[in-house]
Amino acid sequence: MQKNLLIVFAKNITKGKVKTRLAASIGNEGALEVYKALFNITERASTQVKNADLRIYFSHEILADTWPNADKYLQCEGNLGDKMKAAFSRGFADGYTNIIGIGADLADLTAGLIEDAFEKLQEKDFVFGPAEDGGYYLVGTSQPQLYIFENKPWSTEALLDITLKEIKANQHSVTTLKTLNDIDYLEDLQASVLAEEFKGYWS
């Protein structure tokens, strides 16, 4: 067992249940295909991370044929904060000292980005990967005090700013990675590395 743990929060690949905001522009079938691509990017990048153990938390059903060497769980009930807090708490209870969580929404995700985040946790209490919409695509901590997941305005542009202010108020240290863009809307897709692959859905 390593001291680092990477947790992936993955929605099951279900038509009409993934990328619903994107689906408003390109339809449920298009949104499903985009999510499949993001899911595959996330699986590939996360399994290449060398300095951490790996756990996958699925939204509704454990997919046995994905992430063959990772421990797999179901997400708990509640909002995003509840789900992350439960998974991180379990990780700390199991003896991990640095834990990072990611979703399956980032086309630019790489193993190097995640490994760099773990390196930053050697010196800082928290690390975030800022998203252009004001949220974050990655969150990591070495602090078992998981207040960052409590009473937050999830899916709003104020999320990261409010979280960073709370961390500073608690006198914990924090650093950030480069700002990247989750794919939630058509404009995000058009500006991403997946644009050429999926341009048939809007051109």
Side-chain angles (χ1 to χ4, degrees):
M1 175 178 142
Q2 301 203 48
K3 65 178 181 178
N4 295 336
L5 174 65
L6 173 62
I7 300 175
V8 178
F9 297 91
K11 287 185 177 180
N12 287 93
I13 305 171
T14 306
K15 186 176 178 179
K17 299 292 185 181
V18 295
K19 294 291 152 201
T20 53
R21 288 175 287 185
L22 178 62
S25 299
I26 66 171
N28 286 330
E29 187 64 38
L32 179 68
E33 293 304 313
V34 171
Y35 184 70
K36 285 180 182 178
L38 293 169
F39 188 98
N40 291 335
I41 288 169
T42 305
E43 181 175 8
R44 183 169 60 251
S46 60
T47 54
Q48 291 173 348
V49 173
K50 295 182 176 63
N51 60 350
D53 289 340
L54 180 60
R55 291 180 178 180
I56 315 302
Y57 277 78
F58 291 97
S59 59
H60 295 96
E61 179 183 358
I62 292 175
L63 299 179
D65 59 345
T66 62
W67 282 282
N69 298 315
D71 294 328
K72 304 178 185 71
Y73 305 87
L74 284 179
Q75 297 173 19
C76 72
E77 297 295 324
N79 63 31
L80 180 57
D82 297 328
K83 296 174 190 294
M84 290 196 288
K85 184 177 179 181
F88 273 64
S89 294
R90 184 170 187 166
F92 281 122
D94 288 341
Y96 292 98
T97 55
N98 301 308
I99 302 178
I100 284 174
I102 59 173
D105 302 306
L106 192 67
D108 298 311
L109 186 68
T110 65
L113 184 73
I114 298 167
E115 290 169 350
D116 180 52
F118 275 117
E119 289 299 320
K120 292 182 183 301
L121 283 179
Q122 303 303 311
E123 299 181 355
K124 300 292 184 179
D125 298 318
F126 294 93
V127 59
F128 290 89
E132 291 182 7
D133 62 5
Y136 49 81
Y137 60 84
L138 178 151
V139 53
T141 182
S142 58
Q143 287 292 323
Q145 303 172 46
L146 299 174
Y147 57 83
I148 59 169
F149 299 133
E150 300 170 354
N151 304 312
K152 295 298 183 297
W154 303 107
S155 299
T156 70
E157 61 183 17
L159 174 61
L160 181 56
D161 186 54
I162 288 173
T163 305
L164 293 177
K165 287 178 179 177
E166 182 181 35
I167 289 170
K168 291 174 182 177
N170 280 279
Q171 298 185 322
H172 285 135
S173 58
V174 61
T175 188
T176 56
L177 307 173
K178 59 184 176 182
T179 300
L180 296 171
N181 201 20
D182 291 340
I183 295 181
D184 292 320
Y185 297 98
L186 178 58
E187 301 78 37
D188 304 328
L189 179 60
Q190 291 172 326
S192 78
V193 296
L194 297 178
E196 184 67 21
E197 180 179 352
F198 293 102
K199 67 180 182 180
Y201 284 102
W202 67 81
S203 61

